[in-house]
Amino acid sequence: MFVVLAFALLAQGCAPMPPAVAIYSPAQSMRPQTVEFGYVEALRDVRIGGYRTGAGGAGGAMVGSVAGSFVGGSWQANVAGSIVGAIVGAIVGGAIEEGATVRPGVEVSVRLDQGALVVVVQDAGIDALRPGDRVRLLSDGYSARVSR
């Protein structure tokens, strides 16, 4: 039962979103943002690094602990194997989670109407931007986004 639920949640997270839909984080919603206008000067493909929520490490620790508990022929060896397995599993699980959450991004260079050059890194596919496109730069002072 648990395995089926875990796979269902994993499959839901893999469902693609339509590329035309802009995705805002909860922290970005309902905040005033300033808007500036300009033109896309250059684009460069980048990768946005992954993150660790702790779920990968916790899952890896559980799997590693169970797998490690079968090492050895005595109770002491099983306990030692379980501890070492949990530590190694947590490290590997965290690394897998971080690698799985890496996503494609784009570095957008925008020449603002005032003449300043601004660079914003954002998720790829939010807008299919091209050099020369007229865009708007939305910023709340902490994060920014380039859109048509």
Side-chain angles (χ1 to χ4, degrees):
M1 177 68 177
F2 176 72
V3 173
V4 173
L5 179 62
F7 280 122
L9 290 173
L10 180 64
Q12 179 185 9
C14 296
M17 293 290 292
V21 176
I23 300 172
Y24 286 88
S25 71
Q28 291 175 308
S29 64
M30 300 185 63
R31 290 183 113 162
Q33 296 187 10
T34 60
V35 180
E36 297 179 80
F37 293 92
Y39 291 91
V40 174
E41 199 167 273
L43 298 166
R44 185 170 70 118
D45 291 332
V46 297
R47 295 186 66 152
I48 299 173
Y51 51 87
R52 293 184 186 209
T53 63
M62 287 191 297
V63 171
S65 177
V66 170
S69 69
F70 292 106
V71 173
S74 67
W75 180 83
Q76 291 86 357
N78 292 347
V79 169
S82 179
I83 292 170
V84 171
I87 293 169
V88 171
I91 293 168
V92 171
I96 289 171
E97 178 186 19
E98 186 174 2
T101 55
V102 170
R103 59 194 194 274
V106 62
E107 180 186 87
V108 184
S109 299
V110 177
R111 180 68 64 184
L112 298 176
D113 290 347
Q114 297 83 5
L117 181 64
V118 179
V119 176
V120 176
V121 174
Q122 62 189 30
D123 284 325
I126 291 177
D127 275 327
L129 300 171
R130 289 169 292 178
D133 282 351
R134 178 84 171 147
V135 293
R136 54 192 192 138
L137 173 71
L138 297 105
S139 173
D140 64 3
Y142 296 102
S143 62
R145 169 184 300 254
V146 178
S147 66
R148 290 180 194 250

